[in-house]
Amino acid sequence: DLREEGGQRMGGTGSKDDAAIPHVPHALTLKLVGPHHPGRVLFKNSKQLASHQACTLTLANVPGWALVPKSAPKVVKHEGKDYDLLQVGFAQAAEDNAVEAVLDKHGLLTVDDGWCLDVAFWNLEEGTILNLVKDAQRHDPETLYGRRFCVNPDGSVSPLTAPHLFLGAMSRVTLVHQDHPEALVLEHPGSMADGAEAPLTLKSHKGMGVVAAGGPKRVKEWRAFYVP
């Protein structure tokens, strides 16, 4: 429960202190994905979002999961200007702890707090990370192609000018300690121990599994191929 890390809700309580925003460092990174990527997310409250109503960004295709901050806010410099940046991702969270936002002509904005969802460097390509940013400068909405989104009929969300891309969750498998809260527990370990084939679905993360993040890649120095 995110309240254990700060007791405040992102986007719903009008927090006066952004540094106190609770965050989940192990949340799966929010990135742009293709139409067939297994990490493409569908939002539970997509109808409200499409109707420009404030709603929590909880997931329909992974029940119990939602968009949450995954880092404390920080200041970054780009093209000589300072921006407040907040990394976000998907993790298990109660609905009242999810990011709450509204979609309008300026973009996907958090309620009360004024953070705006932003495609990193406005690079509308598969695999690009998205963050929440605060930008004091006022812009013409028509020029903000890296911050404008549309809701699709199936509940997914795409950049307005790149409808072939979608908001999605991506993360790499890595080594952690046995007692790490995000350690992966397989759903069918017995079958694999007996030498049988089994899907790499997870008991620890309901509705999720281990999948290829892309096509095979070749490492010339090792004369080998690998799949990320």
Side-chain angles (χ1 to χ4, degrees):
D1 190 328
L2 295 184
R3 290 194 190 281
E4 296 176 358
E5 299 191 36
Q8 294 183 351
R9 173 178 168 186
M10 175 65 188
T13 59
S15 170
K16 296 180 180 179
D17 184 4
D18 284 336
I21 294 173
H23 53 279
V24 184
H26 58 260
L28 301 183
T29 303
L30 171 60
K31 293 187 178 184
L32 294 178
V33 301
H36 305 296
H37 193 282
R40 185 170 68 101
V41 299
L42 308 178
F43 289 96
K44 179 180 177 181
N45 299 317
S46 59
K47 291 184 179 179
Q48 294 96 308
L49 200 61
S51 300
H52 311 296
Q53 300 175 31
C55 62
T56 52
L57 300 182
T58 52
L59 301 186
N61 57 331
V62 189
W65 284 60
L67 186 70
V68 297
K70 64 175 296 178
S71 71
K74 60 182 178 181
V75 177
V76 296
K77 187 177 291 291
H78 178 60
E79 296 182 349
K81 300 177 183 178
D82 288 339
Y83 297 86
D84 292 322
L85 182 143
L86 186 66
Q87 295 177 319
V88 288
F90 297 101
Q92 290 180 308
E95 184 162 0
D96 62 351
N97 289 321
V99 170
E100 184 178 21
V102 62
L103 181 65
D104 65 16
K105 66 178 181 179
H106 295 284
L108 193 59
L109 306 172
T110 62
V111 177
D112 298 335
D113 300 288
W115 293 90
C116 179
L117 190 64
D118 179 273
V119 178
F121 304 110
W122 296 5
N123 181 28
L124 298 177
E125 295 183 1
E126 189 169 353
T128 302
I129 292 175
L130 294 91
N131 302 290
L132 290 175
V133 300
K134 277 187 177 179
D135 180 4
Q137 183 179 357
R138 298 189 65 84
H139 299 274
D140 177 356
E142 295 299 324
T143 67
L144 298 179
Y145 62 88
R147 297 182 184 175
R148 302 185 71 195
F149 300 91
C150 62
V151 181
N152 302 307
D154 65 353
S156 60
V157 172
S158 298
L160 188 62
T161 58
H164 61 290
L165 297 174
F166 304 84
L167 301 190
M170 294 180 67
S171 183
R172 291 187 179 276
V173 175
T174 187
L175 296 176
V176 298
H177 292 291
Q178 183 177 0
D179 57 353
H180 192 281
E182 288 301 301
L184 303 183
V185 179
L186 296 175
E187 197 169 24
H188 307 287
S191 299
M192 298 180 66
D194 293 336
E197 293 185 1
L200 297 181
T201 51
L202 301 178
K203 179 180 179 180
S204 55
H205 298 68
K206 293 296 184 182
M208 306 189 75
V210 179
V211 298
K217 298 182 180 181
R218 185 172 186 268
V219 182
K220 293 183 179 180
E221 294 81 1
W222 299 347
R223 297 181 180 178
F225 287 89
Y226 74 99
V227 177

